Amino acid sequence: MKEQENKKIEALVDKMMNGVDLETPSLDFTATIMSQVEALAVSKVTPQQPLISKLGWSIIAITIIAIIVYAFIGGFANETTHSLFNNTYDYSVLHNNVISQFLSGIVISKTVLYSIVLFGAMLFIQIPLLKYYFNKRLEV
């Protein structure tokens, strides 16, 4: 039963297709399609937002600086408050250990020290410049 229906449908399609001439695309068909594709390819990109805002980084930096200042100076110049780094604590572990004794034997020449400092300075200069360059290049 289905074969009969399929044959009838095929015959109908063949009859309809015989009467239709083949159309050829225009000469600028590819260019027209590609211009439409390029128009669709431009999408609205949501701007990236940092996880921690500049205000957040400022608050974090101020808090850390305040803790360090409080730890070294101690209190608000009140005689009853004590500094965290007064002589009651033994911090000899920080400078009398195997690592600090090993590192104290290392001698770095001035040339190597200058090259390390220059490399660090150039790195901190080039990163913002490259970021600016690539942001400008990727702008549409």
Side-chain angles (χ1 to χ4, degrees):
M1 184 86 174
K2 289 201 178 211
E3 289 180 22
Q4 287 288 344
E5 287 178 21
N6 286 341
K7 286 182 182 180
K8 288 180 182 178
I9 291 174
E10 256 183 68
L12 178 65
V13 169
D14 288 340
K15 184 178 176 184
M16 292 180 78
M17 292 301 286
N18 285 337
V20 177
D21 292 330
L22 291 177
E23 294 182 15
T24 58
S26 62
L27 295 176
D28 64 341
F29 176 75
T30 305
T32 306
I33 295 297
M34 289 308 294
S35 67
Q36 291 175 358
V37 168
E38 288 174 358
L40 290 175
V42 176
S43 64
K44 295 179 182 177
V45 178
T46 56
Q48 293 182 353
Q49 302 240 343
L51 293 176
I52 301 175
S53 66
K54 290 184 181 182
L55 177 65
W57 280 115
S58 302
I59 291 172
I60 290 170
I62 290 170
T63 304
I64 290 174
I65 291 171
I67 289 172
I68 291 172
V69 167
Y70 179 78
F72 280 108
I73 295 174
F76 297 101
N78 191 353
E79 292 182 18
T80 59
T81 59
H82 298 286
S83 172
L84 290 176
F85 294 106
N86 58 10
N87 292 334
T88 59
Y89 300 108
D90 183 23
Y91 293 108
S92 63
V93 173
L94 296 176
H95 57 84
N96 291 333
N97 56 27
V98 176
I99 296 173
S100 65
Q101 290 174 358
F102 173 73
L103 293 177
S104 67
I106 296 176
V107 178
I108 299 175
S109 68
K110 286 185 179 181
T111 307
V112 172
L113 185 62
Y114 291 152
S115 65
I116 289 171
V117 169
L118 184 63
F119 176 75
M122 292 305 294
L123 185 72
F124 284 113
I125 291 171
Q126 286 179 357
I127 287 175
L129 289 176
L130 286 173
K131 184 175 186 285
Y132 175 77
Y133 170 76
F134 283 115
N135 283 344
K136 280 294 193 186
R137 192 172 132 196
L138 294 175
E139 277 183 4
V140 175

